[in-house]
């Protein structure tokens, strides 16, 4: 994996490893699959359609929409924070698979899309961030830097 010095919009031009591109595709397919699937699930596939479908759609579908632009652009930051919304949607899927008494195939499809989005988004954000030089430093490196700064400061104080 090639490391690149990042700027604020460098995610658009920095070179990307092949496996990172695959992670981006997995995350995007899961994410956009959910955006397409939720209205179909709540309005078409739900045979017991009632007015609560609009509330459910607002709770689980609308929060996905703000991330569309960043996901399309390939912004690793958006891939990372969109997982918070995906975890919110997992609540629906896991609760439904446990409590729903009808055909659970629709819920399994939802959980597969959620899992693809979560795994793809998580690892894309992680590895793309590393490629761009956005990774957090290791604790060992931070301790070494602090020690060097402390020793340099101590040496200056001794000289004075």
């Amino acid at each position: 994996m090639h490391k690149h010095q990042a700027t604020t919009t460098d995610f658009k031009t920095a070179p990307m490893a092949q496996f990172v591109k695959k992670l981006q595709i997995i995350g995007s397919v899961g994410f956009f699959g959910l955006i397409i699937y939720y209205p179909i699930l709540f309005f078409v596939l739900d045979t017991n359609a009632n007015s609560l479908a609009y509330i459910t759609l607002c709770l689980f579908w609308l929060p996905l929409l703000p991330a569309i632009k960043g996901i399309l652009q390939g912004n690793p930051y958006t891939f990372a924070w969109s997982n918070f919304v995906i975890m919110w949607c997992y609540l629906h899927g896991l609760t439904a698979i446990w409590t729903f008494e009808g055909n659970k195939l629709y819920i399994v499809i939802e959980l597969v899309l959620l899992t693809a989005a979560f795994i793809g988004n998580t690892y894309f954000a992680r590895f793309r961030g590393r490629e761009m030089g956005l990774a957090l430093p290791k604790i060992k490196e931070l301790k070494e830097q602090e020690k060097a700064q402390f020793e340099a400061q101590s040496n200056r104080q001794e000289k004075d």
Side-chain angles (χ1 to χ4, degrees):
M1 182 168 27
H2 183 308
K3 189 172 179 179
H4 182 79
Q5 292 301 322
T7 62
T8 55
T9 58
D10 239 9
F11 61 87
K12 297 176 185 175
T13 59
M16 187 184 309
Q18 197 64 27
F19 80 97
V20 177
K21 183 68 176 165
K22 289 177 185 176
L23 291 169
Q24 181 184 21
I25 291 169
I26 291 169
S28 297
V29 166
F31 184 83
F32 289 112
L34 285 169
I35 289 177
I36 294 167
Y37 186 66
Y38 271 150
I40 294 169
L41 175 65
F42 297 137
F43 293 115
V44 178
L45 300 176
D46 186 10
T47 56
N48 300 325
N50 55 33
S51 62
L52 295 179
Y54 292 101
I55 295 171
T56 309
L57 188 68
C58 289
L59 286 173
F60 298 103
W61 183 71
L62 284 179
L64 293 170
L65 300 181
I68 291 174
K69 181 181 177 190
I71 298 287
L72 285 173
Q73 290 177 339
N75 187 342
Y77 179 75
T78 306
F79 276 80
W81 72 255
S82 68
N83 278 339
F84 292 109
V85 178
I86 290 170
M87 284 296 108
W88 170 248
C89 295
Y90 258 114
L91 289 174
H92 174 266
L94 294 175
T95 303
I97 198 98
W98 188 263
T99 61
F100 189 64
E101 295 179 2
N103 187 357
K104 295 188 181 196
L105 175 65
Y106 303 135
I107 301 166
V108 170
I109 293 170
E110 176 186 7
L111 289 171
V112 167
L113 290 171
L114 284 164
T115 302
F118 180 74
I119 291 172
N121 290 359
T122 300
Y123 287 106
F124 173 76
R126 180 180 185 182
F127 290 116
R128 186 66 175 149
R130 284 183 184 173
E131 282 181 337
M132 295 173 56
L134 301 175
L136 296 172
K138 307 258 186 246
I139 292 176
K140 181 179 177 181
E141 294 170 1
L142 288 175
K143 286 183 178 181
E144 289 174 1
Q145 288 175 353
E146 287 177 357
K147 182 179 177 183
Q149 288 175 348
F150 179 76
E151 289 174 352
Q153 186 179 17
S154 296
N155 290 339
R156 274 188 257 132
Q157 287 176 353
E158 288 176 7
K159 290 179 183 178
D160 294 334

